[in-house]
């Protein structure tokens, strides 16, 4: 029996299978692509599973989180509060109190009020919070990929406003300005775009330091590292990234090789994306007015609901963990939910399938469970199986319990 079919028979379906060997390989590849001395934050939003995070921590990664739930996952994975960067535009008082009480001292702040909010909690606790100013740069460095800057946004200080704000930002009780955080690009389409964006990011930070006196002990240049999502393919290998980064850093921050400033980047999908496979079962196949529908036991409650009902994904499907030879035909891939919005993909080329077949969706380690509507209609959450090769490390399922006050 195929490995994935064996796991489905043992633990049920649907389930996510995460291979820690792939996590370690991704971290090794990324570190080899980056200059020596870089710090690497793992973005828990991609997949907060503690086993994945623990494997990355064992490889030297730090934690980038944006909620109390992610903070708890970081603690469960063995991270100390001193290894955590808390980000996000909507930090609540409760979240900040839990973070500060847990030893978190590094924050990325998005606005003057966000900085004051962090400072108020830190001051009440009698500590100092080191704060990176997240910067919404005025212009992009690359013309392709998913843009995160250059437009009005809830994320970051508008670059052009920082000079006038600097005296106020320096004086917030309970805080100390520690550097800059720029996250301009997501899932870069090519290495040229990635290098150009990082170069632009570093230049913006250097200009802010020169023109405003912003102290930069830590510069987080963000991410943008790509990985295939829910379809076949391999992670890119960035052969020219190290040299490109070294060139611009030498020009803008001459002391960076000695740690002044410390340079960091962050990644979620690159580190976790290809470790995961979604394993599910064909429940039914039906024809309707000339179209074929393949109904799975996994729908938007399991995968890809973050962007709303009806989001179509670039899904590819293998039979029992492999793509078999033979005639393939198009079909609409749907889940089990009682809504017409439970469509994963249309016109997917599928192998011959029958009810009861176990199928797999690859590269689902990032933004799989994290992007799902796991509570919709009360269906049980998928099982998550963590493996190291063919050895099962742990098996878990998220459960929700109503608490009455």
């Amino acid at each position: 029996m195929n490995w994935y079919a064996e796991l489905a028979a043992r633990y049920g379906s649907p389930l996510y299978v995460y291979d820690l060997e792939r996590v370690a390989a991704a971290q090794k590849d990324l570190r080899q692509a980056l200059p020596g001395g870089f710090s690497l934050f793992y973005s828990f939003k991609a997949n907060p599973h503690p086993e994945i995070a623990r494997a990355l921590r064992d490889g030297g990664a730090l934690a980038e989180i944006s909620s109390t739930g992610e903070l708890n996952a970081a603690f469960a994975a063995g991270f100390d509060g001193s290894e955590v960067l808390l980000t996000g535009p909507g930090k609540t008082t409760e979240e900040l109190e839990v973070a500060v009480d847990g030893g978190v001292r590094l924050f990325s702040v998005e606005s003057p009020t966000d900085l004051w909010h962090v400072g108020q909690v830190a001051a009440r606790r009698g500590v100092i919070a080191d704060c990176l100013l997240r910067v919404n740069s005025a212009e992009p460095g690359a013309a392709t990929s998913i843009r995160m800057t250059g437009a009005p946004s809830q994320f970051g200080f508008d670059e052009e406003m920082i000079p006038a704000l600097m005296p106020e930002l320096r004086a917030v009780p309970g805080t100390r300005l520690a550097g800059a955080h720029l996250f301009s690009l997501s899932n870069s389409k090519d290495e040229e775009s990635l290098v150009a964006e990082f170069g632009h990011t570093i230049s913006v930070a250097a200009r802010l330091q020169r023109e405003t006196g912003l102290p930069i002990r830590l510069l987080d240049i963000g991410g943008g590292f790509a990985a295939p999502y829910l379809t076949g393919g391999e992670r890119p290998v960035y052969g020219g990234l190290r040299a490109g980064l070294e060139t611009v850093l030498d020009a803008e921050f001459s002391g960076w090789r000695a740690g002044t400033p410390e340079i960091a980047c962050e990644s979620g999908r690159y580190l976790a994306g290809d470790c995961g496979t979604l394993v599910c079962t064909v429940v039914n196949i039906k024809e309707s007015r000339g179209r074929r529908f393949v109904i799975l036991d996994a729908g938007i409650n399991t995968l890809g609901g973050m962007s709303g009902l009806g989001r179509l994904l670039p899904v590819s499907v293998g039979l029992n963990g492999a793509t078999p030879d033979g005639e393939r035909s198009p079909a609409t891939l749907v889940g089990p939910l009682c809504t017409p919005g439970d469509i994963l993909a249309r016109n997917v080329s599928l192998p011959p399938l029958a009810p009861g077949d176990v199928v797999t969706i690859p590269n689902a380690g990032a933004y799989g469970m994290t992007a799902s509507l796991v509570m919709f209609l009360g269906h049980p959450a998928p099982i998550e199986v963590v493996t190291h090769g063919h050895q099962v490390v742990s098996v878990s399922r998220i459960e929700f319990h109503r608490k009455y006050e």
Side-chain angles (χ1 to χ4, degrees), residues 15-39:
L15 74 157
Y16 280 90
V17 180
Y18 306 128
D19 186 348
L20 297 180
E21 290 183 336
R22 297 302 306 159
V23 176
Q27 186 171 20
K28 180 181 178 181
D29 286 348
L30 186 53
R31 288 199 178 278
Q32 288 179 341
L34 294 169
F38 263 49
S39 295

Side-chain angles (χ1 to χ4, degrees), residues 199-392:
H200 173 72
T201 288
I202 293 165
S203 297
V204 168
R207 183 171 67 246
L208 285 172
Q209 184 182 54
R210 290 192 304 268
E211 295 179 357
T212 72
L214 173 66
I216 299 183
R217 292 186 287 110
L218 171 62
L219 173 58
D220 183 345
I221 62 174
F225 309 103
Y229 181 51
L230 309 181
T231 189
E234 301 294 327
R235 285 181 288 99
V237 175
Y238 295 115
L241 180 60
R242 176 190 290 258
L245 284 170
E246 288 176 341
T247 297
V248 68
L249 283 168
D250 285 339
E252 300 287 6
F253 292 98
S254 60
W256 76 274
R257 293 178 186 268
T260 308
E262 177 188 355
I263 309 296
C265 62
E266 55 197 78
S267 176
R269 72 176 72 241
Y270 190 91
L271 293 174
D274 78 348
C275 83
T277 300
L278 174 59
V279 182
C280 39
T281 302
V282 178
V283 177
N284 194 14
I285 297 175
K286 66 162 292 190
E287 300 285 337
S288 176
R289 294 174 178 165
R291 291 175 57 192
R292 185 165 68 115
F293 291 82
V294 174
I295 303 166
L296 304 177
D297 60 358
I300 57 173
N301 60 316
T302 301
L303 177 72
M306 182 173 63
S307 295
L309 301 182
R311 180 189 184 202
L312 300 182
L313 303 168
V315 173
S316 64
V317 170
L319 177 59
N320 290 342
T323 301
D325 296 330
E327 184 177 351
R328 301 175 70 93
S329 57
T332 298
L333 201 63
V334 302
L337 306 182
C338 296
T339 169
D342 191 17
I343 300 174
L344 295 180
R346 294 191 177 96
N347 296 319
V348 182
S349 179
L350 297 177
L353 294 173
D357 281 341
V358 173
V359 299
T360 57
I361 297 174
N363 291 312
Y367 303 105
M369 271 285 287
T370 305
S372 65
L373 302 173
V374 292
M375 292 186 67
F376 187 45
L377 293 182
H379 284 260
I383 297 161
E384 294 177 287
V385 176
V386 180
T387 69
H388 192 278
H390 280 190
Q391 179 180 355
V392 175

Side-chain angles (χ1 to χ4, degrees), residues 123-177:
R124 286 199 298 268
R125 295 301 200 264
V127 301
I128 299 295
D130 283 320
C131 294
L132 308 179
L133 299 188
R134 180 165 178 177
V135 180
N136 179 6
S137 61
E139 297 177 354
T144 62
S145 307
I146 303 173
R147 300 290 327 147
M148 301 287 287
T149 59
S153 173
Q154 71 269 41
F155 299 111
F157 290 79
D158 293 340
E159 178 189 347
E160 63 273 18
M161 300 299 294
I162 292 176
L165 289 170
M166 188 54 63
E168 172 189 343
L169 302 179
R170 284 180 174 275
V172 176
T175 70
R176 174 172 52 208
L177 298 186

